[in-house]
Amino acid sequence: MEIKRTIKYEADRVPGFGRDVMSVPGCEALEHCIQCGTCSGVCPLSIYMDYTPRQVMELVRSDFKNEVLQSHTIWLCASCYACTTECPRQIRITDIMYELKQRAIKEEVYPKRFPIPVLAEEFTKMVHDYGRISETWLVTKMYLRTNPMAALGMAGLGMNLMKTGRFSLKQDKIEHREELAKIMEAVDHENGKAKA
Amino acid sequence: MSAKKEELRIGFYVCHCGHNIAAMVDCAVVARYVETLPGVALSRDYKYMCSDPGQELIQQDIREHRLNRVVVASCSPLLHEHTFRGAVEAGGLNPFYFHMVNIREHDSWVHTDRGEATEKAKALARAAIQRVAHHKALEIKKVEIHPDVLVVGGGIAGIHAAMTLANAGKKVYLVEREPSIGGHMAKFDKTFPTLDCAACILTPKMSEVGSHPNITLWTYSEVTKVDGFVGNYTVQVKRKARYVNEDLCTGCQDCISHCVFKEPKFADDFNEGLGKRKPIFIPFPQATPQAVLIDPEVCLNFKRNKNPDGSPVVGDKCKKTCVEACGEKHAIDFTQKDTLQEVKVGSIIVCTGFKTYDAGRSPAYGYGNYKNVYTALEVERLVNASGPTGGEVILREGKNADGSPKTPKSIGIIHCVGSRDKKTNLWCSRVCCMYSMKLAHLLREHTGAEMYNFYIDMRTPGKGYEEFYNKLLEEGTHFIRGRVGEVTDWAMTPEEEGRLVIRVEDTLAGVVRRIPVDMVVLATGLEPQADAGEVRRLFNMSCGGDGWFLERHPKLAPVSTFTDGVFLAGCCQGPKDIPDTVAQAGAAAAEALVLIDKGYIEQEPNTAHILEDECSGCKSCIPLCPYTAILFDEGRKKAYINEALCKGCGTCVGSCPSASIVQNLFDDQEIFSEIEGVLAYD
Amino acid sequence: MTKEWTPRIVAFFCNWCTYTAADLAGVSRLKYASNVRVIRLMCSGRVDPQFVLEALAKGADGVLIGGCHPGDCHYVEGNYKMLRRFELLKRLLADMGIEERRVRLEWISAAEGEKVKTVINEMTEQIKKLGPLGMPQKFETWDKEIEHLAVEVQARDAAQGPCPTRAAQLKPMEAVHA
Amino acid sequence: MKYAYFPGCSLKGTGRAYEESLLPVMKHLGVELQELDDWNCCGATAYMAVDEGKACAAAARNLAIAEKSGLQQILAPCSACYLVLNKTQHYLHEYPAMRQTVSRALATVGLRCDGSSAVRHPLDVLINDIGLEAVKQKITRPLKGLKVAPYYGCQIVRPYATFDDQSNPTTMDRLLETLGATVIKWPLKTKCCGGSLTGTLPEAGLRLSYILLKEAIKRGADVIATVCPLCQFNLDAYHPKIAAKWEPVPIPTVYFSQLMGLAFGLPADQVVLNRGMVPMKPLAAAMA
């Protein structure tokens, strides 16, 4: 039997993390959480999570940054907003999950070879490069980066898509890609300024 | 002006209120500043002005330093103005040579910068010093109190208040909207935590009310109009037609059995729609008064004979077997009409109760969608021996293996339905944890089912309540800490097929669970009555933001309202259980008794009067007065005010074009000097 | 003082609703700007437009009036009477060149401590943006100008004798004042 | 009636049947749709996970283009697009800092977005602008006998939609009833289909799709009607995998617009039932 320490010392906390998250637009209401568990009760994916959504909320509020950013929970959120709609304290749990995903990506602490953040990154990159998403390419790229073998298992699906005329290898793109690039650059500039 | 005749000698006191004021306002600085103002003879700061030594200090100073005005800067005048006026009077001064400055609620508690808060205190103090110079000696007037009392609402609160007053020899009018008194308590089977039978303890009180010589009981009646003020209220009551003469009906119920409807056919409100009644009915066996009534919406006599405008008329298209059965008593009277009755009372106790949260507003729990989802009040009737099933717990949907109506093998009770939720009601309804456990116990007793209680936090703060929780734990009831996400009927496993599934996070175990049950009970919370807004206006009360009637002070005046002579008891003021309700009803009765036995009430002398020489006789003030206290002397062409009717709002003063109306305690000079005073800072 | 200028606001609160709400704000320890000085009246109906003018003339940069919600007046309808007067007052102030936002009427019930806080903070911010009203200073300048004018007129009268047309114009004005 | 039309990436790719059926239906009802000039991807759920500011700016570019076009109403048929564009509107209104960042960024390319346009879903437009009476007028082939499970998915009712109830939406129910179909009562109307997890984490995502398909069949539905390209894909494309893991659940999933086209008697190339992977036999049988 392998044993692991589960106690948390004060040194395990990152003081200010909770406050910091709660200062982000959309995440303010977290301070009202009464830990009732409605979010976990309605979450269709809570059954696969390492921490239930309720536990994530408390971990954030108690400054357990590392535990939260490394958890699978934030990546399992499918953004169905059921928790946000049902929460008796009107906490926008889905938006908090987004915020945590962003932080995990920024700090590169998400589980490696985990397809979900990879998909998000590839998606974003494609929007940057072309302005639009071509689903076939996107999925192909994701499999190549995470689990190339699994791509083979998708061949049947590809065939079916082709049969129904829904398979396309053409990369769709917008005309004014430079315009979008400029907007993105400006956002970075604004955010950099705000942080400075 | 009197102030000119004698030298002004103002005493000023700034209170630390422990740290409450002193932590944010530099009291010594304020005292030193006020000392420099004209007319101030003495300026002190003191730890607790409202304490006996503090009041003693004022009295001593008045005597020793010949003070003729006093200003105290401390908490809100709504809290202690009365106290300090008393001290001033005890010191030998007219109590109205006093003014109070609020530097706690309006200053130290709401600001964060000590410098700014101190500056504000100085400005407010200066305003009071300037104002008090203009104060005049006034006399307190006494108003007589009519000894009769109106109690509105015949639930346990109204019953207890009425009985207390009646036993003290006072005459009481008890007005109840429903055809019988008893309220919600009459629907309950047992009461927590003692599990004594609700009917057994309530019924004797109900019949006592019905027969008490000092109580006039008007059921099926509503208050429609309230005029007057403390001591002298005129109340109009609408008595709805029950088409049965209450005095002649003996409650034999022969009419019911002889009704042309052989079987009960119409949804029975008292049984939460779970049972049926006939058009002529008695709400429940122990109803008080013991008199039947007719529902004109469904009674054939009215239904078949209607005026073109839809109003009922007496016709001959029903056989009227009820009248026949009533025989010589002649209690049934199809010609009865709604009537208006007027009574005079001196005080009013409002006990209009609550309504339960509409479970349909929480669609995730499937009420109305899944038949075997019940509200707690429905279950109260279901387990009740006099309920629609005779106390047998049988489900609305499904059959047992032998074809008999289905009895549940497992039951989930969901706490906090509609409560503690920003989207519905944010408050905790206080009784649901306890009644849920009571129902868990009763349902288990009746069915032997596996019981699950889903709670957010278990709240058992009452005598014997925690012990009751412990008893339930011993009985083997499952307590799962988690607010239920949803109740559905789709199955993931064979055992879930055909049952209701509760999906919840067991937050203490940290796992999400699916629990199949046969019956779901929703512990719906308590809400203000649907017409609480109108009732509030009727009696000139206030409501909190949540809709419950507002008491005058949450701690020190819990049964008084902002209107003198109107008191509150029971759940109309906020959710509470039966012991608290009865205690509050007793308190409200005691408050009314204080008024009655004292015989008079002292009235704040803030009334208005007209300076006859200044009045131009324009009459513009006359329509402004809501109490018709302003009259016109046609001979002298001047308006004059009947000070007995004046309530002291000052509306006429604010609009007199010739500035000829003066309001005591709020005259122009006093206010102008206060304005100047608050602005003289920096 | 080097401190940043902050507005002076005088508030007239009715005893039953808004004053009680301000007490509630205190009991709830809500925090708001310290610029407001509250004067308690029994009813917002007691607010004489002259109180507002007096406050502005004596140096207030804004005036806040708080009463019960329509239909909730402790004295049946004093707040309605105030509302009617308030509309006229706003027109008068506009004619005097005083910005409408300096004077505000709010219905705040006894339960709305939170609203007291929001309204006071909002109003403080708004008036900060408008800047000082400075009526006392303006009066001073006007007084000086009139003194100056009077001296000038006297000098001219001394030189030329009273002006006949001016005397003729004064008459109807006096008639109006009478 | 004229609307700006924001198709989104899916409607040009795997969800093309949605566009192919929706455009003729709208035209048939006299509604003019003008595709937004050079629109870009809304960002869907993935972008928000990477950078909120940029996600908002990218979505706002589309809102700005719509405002420039002078059309105040944007029709966004895809649930993700509908949500993201709405969410962006909300953020721009609610958070001044976000509004400032985004408007400055847009200004660098001469665009501005004052948040004046309304993002609308086809169901909203059909019920509230066009009206079911007008829809009824166009029916030539009522869907008598067809049992449909209305499936709304998550993102059109949660969390921003105001045109329908968040827990129990009924707009599609009413539309389908108008078309003559029988609407199945089921509690899974707004349950999650698995979203992009069907691709990234199949064991979690496909389970949700399986439950939906299984329950629809159990309750006697012939077909599931959907409003979202991702839902349609998840419920249509993974049948072999679902059958291998649990059991076969052969029920087709089509867009509500396809059912409308069918009821309107539009030609087959405008109803495009051939785009589905699950055989439409039950549909054809029920219609026969």
Side-chain angles (χ1 to χ4, degrees):
Chain A
M1 188 174 70
E2 202 186 317
I3 56 164
K4 213 170 84 182
R5 99 171 151 87
T6 52
I7 188 175
K8 294 286 175 201
Y9 295 109
E10 278 305 275
D12 296 325
R13 295 172 60 220
V14 180
F17 173 70
R19 277 280 141 214
D20 194 39
V21 171
M22 284 185 253
S23 70
V24 173
C27 305
E28 307 89 341
L30 175 55
E31 58 191 16
H32 298 133
C33 178
I34 53 169
Q35 288 288 298
C36 65
T38 307
C39 44
S40 321
V42 296
C43 176
L45 291 143
S46 55
I47 50 173
Y48 296 106
M49 291 171 174
D50 46 0
Y51 293 112
T52 65
R54 172 193 61 84
Q55 287 171 322
V56 168
M57 295 302 114
E58 192 53 39
L59 287 168
V60 170
R61 202 159 58 167
S62 309
D63 299 331
F64 288 105
K65 175 179 168 181
N66 300 321
E67 288 74 359
V68 167
L69 295 192
Q70 285 165 22
S71 78
H72 292 181
T73 299
I74 58 178
W75 298 109
L76 278 164
C77 169
S79 310
C80 80
Y81 290 89
C83 49
T84 302
T85 316
E86 294 298 327
C87 174
R89 293 295 149 113
Q90 296 181 315
I91 303 167
R92 297 190 193 171
I93 298 152
T94 312
D95 291 347
I96 294 173
M97 293 293 178
Y98 274 133
E99 177 61 27
L100 298 173
K101 288 179 207 178
Q102 286 173 31
R103 285 173 190 243
I105 286 185
K106 225 171 267 164
E107 307 206 358
E108 298 192 346
V109 290
Y110 54 83
K112 290 288 164 261
R113 282 198 167 282
F114 199 43
I116 304 167
V118 172
L119 177 76
E121 277 187 305
E122 287 298 332
F123 187 103
T124 309
K125 198 157 163 290
M126 196 178 270
V127 174
H128 274 240
D129 293 349
Y130 303 106
R132 286 184 196 170
I133 295 298
S134 297
E135 293 150 312
T136 325
W137 272 115
L138 180 65
V139 172
T140 311
K141 282 182 176 173
M142 180 195 78
Y143 279 118
L144 287 178
R145 273 188 58 189
T146 56
N147 185 3
M149 293 311 286
L152 296 175
M154 301 302 279
L157 175 59
M159 283 302 291
N160 276 332
L161 280 172
M162 237 176 276
K163 264 193 263 171
T164 54
R166 291 152 72 181
F167 189 84
S168 163
L169 281 174
K170 193 177 125 269
Q171 172 66 55
D172 198 3
K173 53 186 108 167
I174 65 169
E175 206 177 310
H176 297 290
R177 292 195 293 280
E178 76 297 339
E179 188 178 297
L180 193 60
K182 220 168 158 188
I183 293 174
M184 296 296 119
E185 213 175 284
V187 171
D188 273 338
H189 180 68
E190 284 288 324
N191 285 342
K193 225 170 44 189
K195 273 182 196 118
Chain B
M1 218 192 297
S2 65
K4 267 185 189 159
K5 279 180 222 144
E6 51 171 345
E7 182 209 2
L8 205 53
R9 293 188 61 79
I10 308 172
F12 177 77
Y13 302 85
V14 54
C15 175
H16 293 209
C17 194
H19 285 295
N20 283 310
I21 293 172
M24 195 45 68
V25 170
D26 193 329
C27 297
V29 166
V30 176
R32 275 203 303 277
Y33 167 74
V34 171
E35 204 157 37
T36 66
L37 298 175
V40 175
L42 175 154
S43 178
R44 299 184 192 274
D45 61 306
Y46 189 77
K47 196 143 191 147
Y48 285 110
M49 279 314 294
C50 63
S51 65
D52 277 350
Q55 295 186 49
E56 190 55 46
L57 186 65
I58 296 175
Q59 293 168 32
Q60 204 179 319
D61 285 348
I62 292 174
R63 287 190 292 264
E64 288 177 11
H65 295 270
R66 292 181 294 112
L67 300 181
N68 52 19
R69 298 287 189 283
V70 173
V71 172
V72 176
S74 56
C75 52
S76 172
L78 303 184
L79 211 61
H80 271 310
E81 190 174 50
H82 192 71
T83 313
F84 293 124
R85 276 183 184 168
V88 168
E89 193 173 22
L93 268 184
N94 182 286
F96 298 98
Y97 280 139
F98 165 77
H99 195 66
M100 195 163 168
V101 185
N102 185 349
I103 58 166
R104 193 178 74 173
E105 283 85 345
H106 287 201
D107 192 359
S108 69
W109 276 352
V110 287
H111 302 316
T112 48
D113 181 310
R114 196 151 195 258
E116 285 179 16
T118 305
E119 278 309 307
K120 183 168 177 178
K122 280 157 71 178
L124 293 173
R126 185 191 169 105
I129 296 291
Q130 297 202 6
R131 181 192 216 275
V132 83
H134 299 287
H135 276 208
K136 291 159 196 74
L138 298 168
E139 223 176 285
I140 288 174
K141 282 192 196 69
K142 290 176 179 176
V143 177
E144 254 182 66
I145 302 285
H146 192 289
D148 295 354
V149 184
L150 170 74
V151 176
V152 189
I156 182 59
I159 289 173
H160 188 75
M163 282 302 298
T164 308
L165 288 162
N167 286 340
K170 310 301 172 198
K171 186 155 177 40
V172 180
Y173 297 93
L174 177 57
V175 176
E176 164 59 45
R177 165 155 55 189
E178 299 297 325
S180 167
I181 55 170
H184 279 96
M185 188 177 169
K187 298 189 180 187
F188 301 159
D189 181 42
K190 300 274 185 338
T191 56
F192 63 76
T194 46
L195 294 176
D196 37 11
C197 151
C200 310
I201 55 176
L202 182 64
T203 314
K205 286 195 87 151
M206 284 168 57
S207 47
E208 253 187 284
V209 166
S211 60
H212 203 294
N214 287 340
I215 297 178
T216 304
L217 175 60
W218 286 342
T219 56
Y220 213 42
S221 302
E222 282 175 62
V223 175
T224 45
K225 206 169 141 199
V226 180
D227 280 324
F229 43 90
V230 56
N232 291 287
Y233 288 107
T234 306
V235 181
Q236 191 188 61
V237 178
K238 181 167 106 178
R239 306 202 57 199
K240 290 176 278 188
R242 61 197 296 157
Y243 304 106
V244 171
N245 188 326
E246 254 176 66
D247 300 330
L248 301 178
C249 176
T250 59
C252 71
Q253 304 185 26
D254 284 350
C255 51
I256 301 180
S257 42
H258 285 84
C259 175
V260 290
F261 283 90
K262 289 279 171 293
E263 292 302 320
K265 202 180 151 196
F266 307 99
D268 174 1
D269 294 338
F270 187 80
N271 281 320
E272 297 297 303
L274 291 173
K276 301 263 189 271
R277 60 158 168 81
K278 293 184 179 179
I280 188 161
F281 65 104
I282 188 155
F284 56 102
Q286 303 89 344
T288 305
Q290 274 287 313
V292 298
L293 73 157
I294 293 173
D295 176 358
E297 291 302 312
V298 293
C299 170
L300 279 190
N301 178 59
F302 291 112
K303 219 173 161 191
R304 289 192 181 153
N305 304 284
K306 268 189 180 161
N307 285 323
D309 67 352
S311 60
V313 288
V314 189
D316 50 9
K317 294 187 185 144
C318 175
K319 277 188 268 171
K320 298 195 194 89
T321 42
C322 52
V323 178
E324 229 167 84
C326 190
E328 309 230 309
K329 283 170 271 179
H330 300 297
I332 297 173
D333 176 7
F334 289 114
T335 63
Q336 216 177 52
K337 297 243 163 6
D338 292 356
T339 55
L340 292 176
Q341 232 150 336
E342 216 175 70
V343 290
K344 283 206 182 298
V345 295
S347 44
I348 298 170
I349 301 178
V350 178
C351 330
T352 48
F354 64 95
K355 75 174 166 62
T356 50
Y357 170 81
D358 170 12
R361 285 169 64 199
S362 298
Y365 296 156
Y367 182 76
N369 194 11
Y370 303 126
K371 285 201 164 127
N372 290 343
V373 177
Y374 290 78
T375 66
L377 210 47
E378 286 172 341
V379 175
E380 292 280 2
R381 297 310 302 152
L382 215 51
V383 293
N384 196 306
S386 69
T389 57
E392 209 183 327
V393 179
I394 45 176
L395 294 173
R396 276 192 273 238
E397 194 173 57
K399 293 261 184 282
N400 287 330
D402 63 359
S404 61
K406 188 168 174 166
T407 44
K409 300 268 177 301
S410 66
I411 304 172
I413 302 182
I414 303 177
H415 293 212
C416 300
V417 177
S419 306
R420 303 189 68 193
D421 186 338
K422 280 192 169 176
K423 291 173 293 168
T424 52
N425 301 323
L426 190 53
W427 58 82
C428 163
S429 292
R430 285 190 65 194
V431 293
C432 322
C433 279
M434 287 306 296
Y435 82 58
S436 296
M437 286 197 283
K438 174 190 75 180
L439 292 178
H441 170 85
L442 295 174
L443 283 168
R444 189 189 159 84
E445 200 175 63
H446 281 66
T447 63
E450 198 78 9
M451 295 302 310
Y452 296 88
N453 273 49
F454 302 91
Y455 67 98
I456 306 177
D457 294 297
M458 190 57 79
R459 296 188 168 170
T460 58
K463 201 171 175 181
Y465 291 9
E466 184 67 17
E467 291 83 342
F468 189 69
Y469 180 16
N470 203 47
K471 173 187 161 92
L472 267 282
L473 287 166
E474 281 167 9
E475 282 178 4
T477 296
H478 305 285
F479 286 93
I480 296 173
R481 190 201 174 278
R483 186 172 173 275
V484 170
E486 59 180 346
V487 175
T488 58
D489 70 343
W490 56 270
M492 281 306 296
T493 62
E495 55 159 1
E496 290 179 2
E497 288 294 346
R499 303 173 80 186
L500 294 168
V501 179
I502 290 172
R503 196 176 196 275
V504 64
E505 179 184 7
D506 184 333
T507 62
L508 299 180
V511 292
V512 177
R513 294 174 65 177
R514 286 173 64 92
I515 299 170
V517 294
D518 300 318
M519 177 187 197
V520 171
V521 182
L522 304 180
T524 47
L526 274 48
E527 278 185 345
Q529 292 275 19
D531 59 353
E534 290 141 53
V535 173
R536 176 180 69 80
R537 288 213 172 101
L538 203 57
F539 296 102
N540 202 358
M541 300 183 290
S542 298
C543 273
D546 42 21
W548 301 106
F549 297 149
L550 202 61
E551 63 283 358
R552 194 176 193 126
H553 191 280
K555 284 143 193 122
L556 303 180
V559 298
S560 304
T561 68
F562 286 98
T563 301
D564 290 330
V566 176
F567 305 100
L568 292 172
C571 287
C572 63
Q573 180 261 348
K576 53 182 66 68
D577 56 19
I578 294 169
D580 283 3
T581 297
V582 171
Q584 209 183 19
E591 293 280 357
L593 282 173
V594 168
L595 274 185
I596 300 165
D597 284 358
K598 196 173 173 193
Y600 63 89
I601 184 174
E602 288 181 347
Q603 218 179 20
E604 181 88 353
N606 56 14
T607 51
H609 56 272
I610 289 176
L611 305 174
E612 209 183 280
D613 291 347
E614 311 280 328
C615 177
S616 65
C618 74
K619 296 189 188 174
S620 56
C621 54
I622 291 172
L624 293 180
C625 181
Y627 307 103
T628 53
I630 312 181
L631 302 163
F632 194 71
D633 184 334
E634 287 295 346
R636 298 152 77 168
K637 297 282 174 219
K638 304 276 183 192
Y640 66 97
I641 293 174
N642 176 350
E643 284 188 45
L645 293 178
C646 174
K647 307 296 291 167
C649 64
T651 302
C652 56
V653 191
S655 49
C656 174
S658 57
S660 62
I661 314 183
V662 175
Q663 184 187 9
N664 289 335
L665 288 173
F666 294 93
D667 76 22
D668 283 359
Q669 255 182 334
E670 287 163 355
I671 294 164
F672 281 134
S673 49
E674 208 177 340
I675 294 171
E676 200 187 310
V678 292
L679 287 166
Y681 67 97
D682 232 352
Chain C
M1 253 194 241
T2 50
K3 251 178 76 186
E4 184 198 358
W5 171 83
T6 56
R8 301 167 174 203
I9 301 171
V10 174
F12 298 99
F13 284 177
C14 86
N15 182 65
W16 304 99
C17 289
T18 315
Y19 194 89
T20 312
D23 276 5
L24 176 64
V27 173
S28 321
R29 308 298 199 277
L30 305 177
K31 302 296 175 207
Y32 56 80
S34 66
N35 307 60
V36 174
R37 310 285 184 257
V38 176
I39 293 177
R40 182 169 70 107
L41 299 170
M42 293 313 286
C43 177
S44 57
R46 174 67 183 97
V47 179
D48 188 324
Q50 285 195 68
F51 295 172
V52 179
L53 297 175
E54 177 75 4
L56 296 175
K58 285 275 154 61
D61 301 297
V63 174
L64 170 63
I65 301 165
C68 308
H69 283 271
D72 290 359
C73 179
H74 188 78
Y75 302 103
V76 190
E77 45 191 21
N79 51 358
Y80 280 114
K81 310 281 163 58
M82 175 57 219
L83 178 63
R84 279 193 336 219
R85 249 178 266 152
F86 185 74
E87 291 303 321
L88 288 174
L89 176 67
K90 272 205 300 202
R91 263 200 265 167
L92 180 73
L93 291 174
D95 288 347
M96 291 165 70
I98 293 172
E99 297 91 337
E100 197 177 295
R101 272 171 300 169
R102 289 191 186 273
V103 182
R104 188 162 164 175
L105 174 64
E106 282 291 339
W107 309 132
I108 305 178
S109 82
E112 294 176 316
E114 192 69 39
K115 191 169 175 188
V116 170
K117 172 187 135 178
T118 334
V119 166
I120 289 178
N121 283 343
E122 249 176 47
M123 199 166 168
T124 306
E125 277 315 303
Q126 260 180 10
I127 295 182
K128 254 188 202 163
K129 277 188 203 137
L130 292 174
L133 179 62
M135 289 311 279
Q137 291 81 349
K138 279 182 198 161
F139 285 140
E140 219 169 284
T141 329
W142 291 338
D143 283 351
K144 271 189 201 135
E145 276 170 18
I146 286 176
E147 262 170 52
H148 185 70
L149 192 70
V151 173
E152 229 173 62
V153 170
Q154 262 173 12
R156 204 177 51 198
D157 285 357
Q160 306 173 348
C163 170
T165 50
R166 223 183 108 248
Q169 276 172 353
L170 265 179
K171 263 190 189 149
M173 285 298 285
E174 278 162 1
V176 168
H177 276 286
Chain D
M1 264 183 271
K2 189 173 175 182
Y3 299 83
Y5 170 53
F6 182 86
C9 308
S10 286
L11 267 70
K12 299 290 182 190
T14 54
R16 65 191 337 159
Y18 196 178
E19 176 170 82
E20 285 166 347
S21 58
L22 182 68
L23 294 183
V25 160
M26 285 303 198
K27 196 174 166 199
H28 198 68
L29 287 164
V31 176
E32 199 180 329
L33 299 180
Q34 180 184 315
E35 186 164 328
L36 274 190
D37 196 29
D38 202 35
W39 56 268
N40 57 267
C41 170
C42 71
T45 53
Y47 210 143
M48 276 281 171
V50 178
D51 187 320
E52 196 173 59
K54 285 187 189 173
C56 260
R61 178 176 175 266
N62 294 314
L63 298 174
I65 293 171
E67 282 176 26
K68 209 164 103 185
S69 78
L71 289 172
Q72 294 292 304
Q73 311 266 328
I74 309 169
L75 191 76
C78 165
S79 295
C81 301
Y82 175 76
L83 168 72
V84 171
L85 294 179
N86 255 319
K87 184 170 178 166
T88 304
Q89 291 274 37
H90 273 263
Y91 270 38
L92 296 180
H93 280 289
E94 278 174 54
Y95 303 112
M98 181 69 82
R99 184 167 59 235
Q100 196 179 4
T101 305
V102 169
S103 25
R104 285 199 183 146
L106 289 176
T108 60
V109 294
L111 284 173
R112 49 170 293 161
C113 167
D114 54 21
S116 61
S117 47
V119 182
R120 308 281 303 274
H121 190 270
L123 282 180
D124 178 12
V125 166
L126 279 165
I127 298 277
N128 295 314
D129 294 6
I130 299 168
L132 290 177
E133 204 39 53
V135 171
K136 209 172 189 171
Q137 302 295 321
K138 299 284 180 196
I139 297 171
T140 57
R141 221 190 129 191
L143 307 178
K144 279 271 170 305
L146 187 67
K147 289 192 228 116
V148 189
Y151 176 55
Y152 297 77
C154 8
Q155 301 194 333
I156 73 158
V157 282
R158 285 194 299 262
Y160 292 116
T162 49
F163 71 89
D164 211 336
D165 188 86
Q166 289 194 330
S167 307
N168 182 25
T170 57
T171 42
M172 185 163 40
D173 296 37
R174 284 183 280 155
L175 176 68
L176 294 170
E177 273 161 10
T178 305
L179 299 180
T182 306
V183 175
I184 299 295
K185 238 177 102 174
W186 67 329
L188 294 139
K189 274 181 177 180
T190 64
K191 289 286 174 289
C192 180
C193 68
S196 56
L197 290 175
T198 47
T200 51
L201 210 63
E203 59 274 37
L206 288 181
R207 181 174 169 274
L208 298 179
S209 292
Y210 160 66
I211 292 169
L212 286 167
L213 294 164
K214 169 181 84 99
E215 286 296 320
I217 292 175
K218 189 175 134 194
R219 286 155 208 267
D222 300 317
V223 61
I224 297 173
T226 178
V227 299
C228 170
L230 187 55
C231 297
Q232 199 279 336
F233 189 85
N234 282 341
L235 297 182
D236 185 39
Y238 295 104
H239 280 260
K241 284 192 160 199
I242 288 172
K245 208 165 163 47
W246 292 281
E247 58 176 322
V249 273
I251 178 169
T253 303
V254 298
Y255 297 102
F256 71 95
S257 48
Q258 290 176 291
L259 294 176
M260 288 181 78
L262 216 53
F264 289 177
L266 298 182
D269 63 337
Q270 294 181 7
V271 183
V272 288
L273 291 177
N274 57 324
R275 296 276 189 224
M277 294 182 200
V278 178
M280 296 290 167
K281 266 187 208 138
L283 194 57
M287 298 294 302

